[in-house]
Amino acid sequence: MYRTALEEAAALGEWETGWKQERKATVLLGPKAFVDRMKARLKGDWREQTGLRQASQGSLTWEAITAAVSELWGQDWEVLRAVRGNGALAAALFFGRHHSDRTLRELGQLAGGMEYPAVTMAVRRFAGRIKHEAALAKKVKCLQARLLVKT
């Protein structure tokens, strides 16, 4: 079934350009209908198969994440991204890391040219901050509700 779907896509010329951006799922490659069918059939230990778990949850776009952060912080995203210490950029990176199909490198580029190790550190620091800062933890809960994601 998987091979047939890939052969059909190749025959239709869908692999020529831009296929990585259009055909992205954590563990599955193919059109959305095919990915949805395969996710319904997959079984396994969800605690140990993070790729499978992420594929089942869907994926947020960077634009949706930054729009929600911008709305919650009450400022334009370009302003928020440039200001240090307000937690907005780190929150967007945190949600991008945990609820999108973007790589660390892609998130860094979207965040304004950060290197991926810096993205990793920002996400880790933010995770620590939300454990100790009640106001920031409350914002994360609000973002989860706005973006319809679970932790």
Side-chain angles (χ1 to χ4, degrees), residues 87-106:
L89 178 58
L93 291 171
F94 179 84
F95 276 82
R97 177 69 176 128
H98 295 289
H99 301 290
S100 81
D101 58 2
R102 299 288 186 161
T103 65
L104 292 171
R105 190 172 313 278
E106 290 171 332

Side-chain angles (χ1 to χ4, degrees), residues 1 3-4 8 11-12 14 27 30-31 42 46 48 58 80 87 99 106 110 124-125 130 137 141-142 144 150:
M1 179 184 264
R3 181 178 179 173
T4 304
E8 287 175 13
L12 294 172
E14 293 180 3
V27 295
L42 291 172
W46 290 76
E48 296 191 20
L80 287 171
H99 301 290
E106 290 171 332
L110 290 167
R124 281 189 192 151
R125 277 190 223 114
I130 60 178
K141 292 280 187 200
C142 290
Q144 289 171 330
K150 300 176 193 174

Side-chain angles (χ1 to χ4, degrees), residues 6-123:
L6 291 178
E7 287 172 350
E8 287 175 13
L12 294 172
E14 293 180 3
W15 301 114
E16 299 302 319
T17 58
W19 65 272
K20 284 185 180 179
Q21 289 79 19
E22 295 176 19
R23 310 290 187 201
K24 205 168 195 180
T26 306
V27 295
L28 301 169
L29 178 66
K32 181 175 178 0
F34 171 76
V35 171
D36 290 341
R37 273 196 326 271
M38 291 299 105
K39 284 192 289 188
R41 292 180 179 198
L42 291 172
K43 297 189 185 340
D45 185 349
W46 290 76
R47 291 170 292 156
E48 296 191 20
Q49 296 179 10
T50 56
L52 191 59
R53 187 173 60 246
Q54 288 171 347
S56 72
Q57 293 172 347
S59 179
L60 295 174
T61 65
W62 180 251
E63 293 76 19
I65 294 168
T66 56
V69 169
S70 180
E71 185 179 331
L72 188 59
W73 263 258
Q75 291 184 357
D76 183 59
W77 172 248
E78 294 304 317
V79 173
L80 287 171
R81 184 178 78 173
V83 176
R84 292 183 162 257
N86 64 7
L89 178 58
L93 291 171
F94 179 84
F95 276 82
R97 177 69 176 128
H98 295 289
H99 301 290
S100 81
D101 58 2
R102 299 288 186 161
T103 65
L104 292 171
R105 190 172 313 278
E106 290 171 332
L107 289 171
Q109 290 170 351
L110 290 167
M114 294 173 69
E115 295 293 326
Y116 73 89
V119 174
T120 301
M121 289 306 299
V123 170

